[in-house]
Amino acid sequence: MDSFFEISTQWRVAICKQCRHAVWPSSIAGHLKGVHHRLSAKEASRIKDEVHEAPVIQDPADFEPIHHVDNPIPELKIYHDAWTCIAEPSCSFTALAISSLKSHCARQHRGVRSRTQYRRAENQSNPWVRVSCQQMFTSSHGSNYFRVGSGLARSTTDEDASVDATAEAKRRVREAQRAMTQKTIEEIQDRQEGAEYVPWLETMGWPTYLEGLDRQGLMALVKAPDAEEEPLVAIVWDAMDEMLQHSQQTVNKHAGYYLRMEVVRSEAKQT
């Protein structure tokens, strides 16, 4: 049992060490046979019997739901982006999504504001605040989320939270892109000191693909064939040359300047 469960003497419950939530004694066997543990029925039954003999609450009705703790319970998961209701002093409803708070307030605190009013009154402080929370059980009695800590964060709308999260994500992506580009340039300069950095060549992967190959041999591969010695190769060469010239003329005729700049640019907003 010690390999799978921690017995909390304070709360008198069995907490799964891997899943980090409590499990009722009657659900121990099913939990251990589930996707997270996949124990045999025999082994799960043995551990269930051990938990039944431990000093834990057997009947869910005897467990008093938790609404708030000053310090987090170490054995449980902690969620830092949660929300708790402050519409009334006696209310301790806590959830992970603001939509749950809106539904809760619409049902339980009708005199505060309706669900539609929550969306419209952006300049008015909402009756919920950001908190950290935990959950003892994931289902049945005692599965409510409860607030952790004594302080309450300022009220924040879901729109504000979404904008802040999006801006932060974009900032991190930009930083990662800049770091990757700088690293690529440094790697190229290390490999080809004194050579000019051409973004298109690096994008296509040519420096890495051609590294270590014989330069004279590569030059011979792109040299125009002799029509007398290799007549068939020369015919293919001329056909490809005509096709490329035709393609270039088509692009010059039908593709504008800005489209061509968009095709060849290697960085955002590059001109």
Side-chain angles (χ1 to χ4, degrees):
M1 179 187 69
D2 292 343
S3 300
F4 295 94
F5 290 96
E6 181 82 23
I7 303 301
S8 173
T9 55
Q10 178 181 3
W11 305 101
R12 297 172 58 207
V13 296
I15 301 176
C16 178
K17 293 182 178 180
Q18 177 178 331
C19 303
R20 300 188 67 187
H21 64 74
V23 182
W24 291 113
S26 59
S27 302
I28 292 291
H31 178 76
L32 293 175
K33 290 187 293 184
V35 295
H36 294 101
H37 300 287
R38 300 184 183 277
L39 296 187
S40 64
K42 181 178 180 180
E43 182 68 7
S45 179
R46 181 187 66 80
I47 297 176
K48 174 185 176 182
D49 293 339
E50 292 182 1
V51 173
H52 273 280
E53 296 176 0
V56 297
I57 297 175
Q58 302 292 331
D59 187 351
D62 295 333
F63 180 79
E64 184 176 352
I66 307 171
H67 300 292
H68 167 250
V69 292
D70 289 331
N71 299 308
I73 301 173
E75 298 82 4
L76 300 179
K77 291 180 182 178
I78 184 166
Y79 306 90
H80 294 291
D81 292 327
W83 307 86
T84 193
C85 177
I86 56 171
E88 296 179 12
S90 60
C91 185
S92 61
F93 180 81
T94 302
L96 300 182
I98 289 184
S99 57
S100 300
L101 268 298
K102 290 181 178 180
S103 299
H104 162 78
C105 290
R107 293 192 309 268
Q108 304 297 330
H109 309 294
R110 296 180 180 274
V112 180
R113 266 186 291 159
S114 67
R115 223 183 303 185
T116 302
Q117 288 174 321
Y118 289 131
R119 292 194 294 266
R120 293 176 179 173
E122 297 179 5
N123 60 341
Q124 186 174 346
S125 180
N126 288 322
W128 54 72
V129 292
R130 189 189 297 275
V131 296
S132 296
C133 77
Q134 291 183 295
Q135 184 184 35
M136 183 64 77
F137 296 93
T138 59
S139 62
S140 187
H141 185 69
S143 61
N144 62 289
Y145 292 100
F146 54 88
R147 181 165 58 89
V148 176
S150 56
L152 295 176
R154 68 175 180 85
S155 177
T156 307
T157 65
D158 49 348
E159 293 83 2
D160 292 338
S162 177
V163 170
D164 292 343
T166 301
E168 177 64 15
K170 289 182 177 179
R171 183 188 65 80
R172 293 184 180 183
V173 169
R174 287 195 298 268
E175 290 182 353
Q177 289 176 335
R178 284 195 294 267
M180 185 177 299
T181 300
Q182 182 61 32
K183 181 180 179 182
T184 300
I185 295 175
E186 292 174 355
E187 290 177 350
I188 294 174
Q189 291 175 343
D190 290 340
R191 293 197 303 265
Q192 303 174 354
E193 185 175 356
E196 181 182 0
Y197 170 59
V198 181
W200 180 84
L201 292 178
E202 181 62 22
T203 300
M204 299 305 295
W206 284 110
T208 301
Y209 179 73
L210 299 177
E211 183 178 8
L213 298 181
D214 179 61
R215 185 175 184 276
Q216 295 300 325
L218 293 174
M219 294 296 294
L221 292 175
V222 297
K223 182 180 179 181
D226 190 313
E228 295 183 358
E229 296 181 0
E230 299 177 301
L232 294 180
V233 177
I235 293 174
V236 174
W237 179 277
D238 293 337
M240 293 297 298
D241 183 59
E242 291 180 5
M243 184 190 70
L244 291 174
Q245 290 186 27
H246 178 72
S247 299
Q248 186 177 20
Q249 292 171 2
T250 302
V251 171
N252 290 336
K253 182 179 180 180
H254 297 286
Y257 170 80
Y258 292 106
L259 177 58
R260 279 177 279 168
M261 288 298 299
E262 179 68 19
V263 171
V264 300
R265 74 188 180 98
S266 60
E267 299 178 1
K269 299 181 180 180
Q270 182 183 26
T271 59

